[in-house]
Amino acid sequence: MNEITLFGFNNLTKSLHFSLYKLHYVGNQSLDYNRFIKERFSANKLNSVLTTICHAIGGNVLNIAKQDYQPQGASVTLMISEELPAQHVTETESIVAHLDKSHLCIHTYPEDAPQDGIAIFRADIELSTCGIISPLKVLNQVIEAFDADVIDIDYRVRGMTRDKQGNKIYNFDQFDNLNSFLSTDITQSYHISEHHFRKQNLFHAKLSRKNVMLNDYLVEKNTDDFNQALQRSICSKITKEIKQLFTNSE
């Protein structure tokens, strides 16, 4: 039986969680929006995104579970190892490797009852790793892949390991804030709020887009389909929604 060697294995579990909100102006085109979401965020396309993320952190996909839902929405879960590619591992061994090592999953929550012509799409992503893989490497990649307007990020390290001298270690990564892992393009494009509890190894950041460009929010339409007054009105509504999602307010 082929077994996966736990290279670099330790008892530190690093969990990175995203809630990403993307807004769309759909007006009264609910059917067009449903079709758009199904095409852009199908289980197959999400699987492609997650597989790219897995490889970006130096992981190999062991097993994949994916599902599309009606009327819309999808879920994908990847089991990850740091070493052997999937073809060398049986299904039973994949489950063991998943429990011992890492997983990456996504669930989408498209709004099925848009309010005032604006639909809110949310993607929930969790990346949990052990060993030498660091999920913080993909912060920028995840944000860019979903082009989200509001991003809620939680990072937590659990457990402990030891160095060669037997001293306890509760976190390998030494950093001041999650902001330090973000690209210049992202820090310039978003308002960022951070709250950390370093002693507990808890880190939180929330981002909201600074500038609203109407074309980025239209489904099967462009700005030429609206007069200037309506364009300003739609942008104002979108900006208000982004602010509410950022502040958790009405």
Side-chain angles (χ1 to χ4, degrees):
M1 182 179 72
N2 293 323
E3 294 184 356
I4 297 176
T5 303
L6 297 180
F7 174 77
F9 181 75
N10 59 62
N11 289 323
L12 288 179
T13 301
K14 293 154 284 185
S15 297
L16 182 63
H17 181 270
F18 296 86
S19 273
L20 304 108
Y21 297 87
K22 176 63 180 175
L23 278 63
H24 299 96
Y25 180 76
V26 299
N28 57 4
Q29 306 170 75
S30 294
L31 292 179
D32 290 341
Y33 177 67
N34 289 348
R35 182 170 60 250
F36 169 81
I37 291 298
K38 285 183 177 180
E39 291 174 357
R40 185 169 180 180
F41 299 106
S42 67
N44 284 334
K45 289 194 175 181
L46 293 175
N47 174 45
S48 178
V49 171
L50 294 195
T51 300
T52 300
I53 292 171
C54 171
H55 293 158
I57 61 173
N60 292 296
V61 178
L62 297 175
N63 202 357
I64 301 169
K66 57 185 178 180
Q67 180 65 54
D68 286 304
Y69 301 109
Q70 293 294 339
Q72 54 193 8
S75 295
V76 181
T77 300
L78 273 60
M79 299 182 224
I80 303 169
S81 172
E82 294 179 10
E83 297 186 273
L84 297 179
Q87 60 262 32
H88 294 298
V89 187
T90 68
E91 182 177 357
T92 302
E93 291 163 1
S94 295
I95 294 171
V96 173
H98 173 217
L99 295 174
D100 282 342
K101 299 299 293 182
S102 310
H103 72 269
L104 176 58
C105 64
I106 181 169
H107 306 285
T108 66
Y109 304 90
E111 192 167 33
D112 58 3
Q115 301 295 308
D116 204 15
I118 297 175
I120 299 174
F121 171 87
R122 183 171 77 89
D124 196 83
I125 301 176
E126 180 180 323
L127 172 55
S128 185
T129 71
C130 293
I132 61 175
I133 286 180
S134 174
L136 293 172
K137 293 180 180 179
V138 295
L139 273 176
N140 297 300
Q141 192 167 349
V142 171
I143 294 171
E144 291 166 356
F146 287 87
D147 191 29
D149 297 301
V150 178
I151 305 111
D152 216 331
I153 306 170
D154 292 299
Y155 180 66
R156 180 169 186 176
V157 182
R158 297 178 175 87
M160 72 92 184
T161 189
R162 294 182 185 274
D163 62 18
K164 292 181 179 179
Q165 289 71 42
N167 300 308
K168 296 183 181 68
I169 297 175
Y170 297 98
N171 191 355
F172 277 140
D173 298 310
Q174 299 299 319
F175 57 91
D176 292 327
N177 50 56
L178 296 176
N179 188 13
S180 61
F181 291 90
L182 298 177
S183 69
T184 301
D185 286 345
I186 290 176
T187 57
Q188 291 179 347
S189 299
Y190 290 87
H191 298 291
I192 303 174
S193 173
E194 295 204 56
H195 300 88
H196 304 317
F197 301 90
R198 290 181 180 82
K199 188 173 179 61
Q200 291 77 27
N201 288 321
L202 290 168
F203 303 86
H204 175 261
K206 198 164 187 179
L207 291 68
S208 70
R209 189 180 299 281
K210 292 179 180 178
N211 300 314
V212 171
M213 305 296 291
L214 184 55
N215 255 339
D216 297 334
Y217 298 87
L218 300 178
V219 176
E220 298 188 1
K221 284 188 176 294
N222 57 64
T223 52
D224 294 336
D225 297 318
F226 306 93
N227 60 45
Q228 291 293 320
L230 186 52
Q231 289 183 34
R232 289 192 295 270
S233 175
I234 296 171
C235 286
S236 178
K237 291 177 182 179
I238 293 171
T239 300
K240 180 181 178 181
E241 291 286 343
I242 290 175
K243 182 178 180 180
Q244 290 177 346
L245 289 170
F246 184 61
T247 59
N248 292 336
S249 62
E250 290 294 333

